[in-house]
Amino acid sequence: MYPDHTHQPPAQRALDVHYPTPIQPVIAVPAPLVPVQPGTVPAVASVVLPDGRVVTGYAINPVRPEPVATSLAVSRTAVNVALGGVGFLAVCGGLLLLTTFITALTALITQLITLAAVIFGGWIAVQVFSASGHKGGTTINARKAVIKRNKFYG
């Protein structure tokens, strides 16, 4: 076996000859002149290659692709439901505080009414049972009364 993996010696193999295809020259057509606004002409850049040749041309800004809109990992509906739940919990907390406030206010009013009743009742009792406040009027002396046959003996 030969180094090129054929079964023929190099002298017996046919040679393939390839001839280059000539490239037809392009006829230069002058480009139409396009009016350019001052200040919009790009800067000319020159680059020196390692073999000493200089390449001059306009610097072209690379085309940047449009940013791809990122999709959320969570749907908007799920986010809205979660925010609604947080709002509902906040309202429930406020209602709990409101009912606690109403309960405390009711207890305070009840205690004030009870205190007023005790004070007013004490004042009435003092007025009724005080001897110094009694002036004139009928005096009744109570003693043992006897009732016999629907007749009062007093």
Side-chain angles (χ1 to χ4, degrees), residues 70-154:
T70 58
S71 62
L72 297 175
V74 180
S75 69
R76 292 189 187 274
T77 305
V79 171
N80 290 338
V81 169
L83 289 176
V86 170
F88 181 73
L89 287 178
V91 168
C92 287
L95 288 176
L96 182 64
L97 289 175
L98 183 63
T99 54
T100 305
F101 174 75
I102 291 172
T103 305
L105 187 63
T106 304
L108 176 67
I109 291 172
T110 304
Q111 289 177 355
L112 289 176
I113 290 173
T114 304
L115 180 64
V118 168
I119 291 174
F120 186 68
W123 181 77
I124 290 176
V126 167
Q127 294 299 320
V128 169
F129 295 115
S130 68
S132 63
H134 181 69
K135 297 181 179 170
T138 306
T139 302
I140 299 172
N141 293 322
R143 49 188 179 160
K144 195 173 182 180
V146 179
I147 298 174
K148 290 184 180 179
R149 293 186 189 173
N150 293 332
K151 282 199 162 189
F152 177 74
Y153 298 97

Side-chain angles (χ1 to χ4, degrees), residues 22-74:
I23 298 175
Q24 298 297 326
V26 177
I27 299 173
V29 177
L33 293 177
V34 178
V36 178
Q37 296 293 330
T40 60
V41 177
V44 176
S46 296
V47 177
V48 178
L49 298 177
D51 61 356
R53 292 181 296 162
V54 177
V55 178
T56 304
Y58 292 107
I60 299 173
N61 293 330
V63 177
R64 297 183 185 190
E66 293 292 326
V68 178
T70 58
S71 62
L72 297 175
V74 180

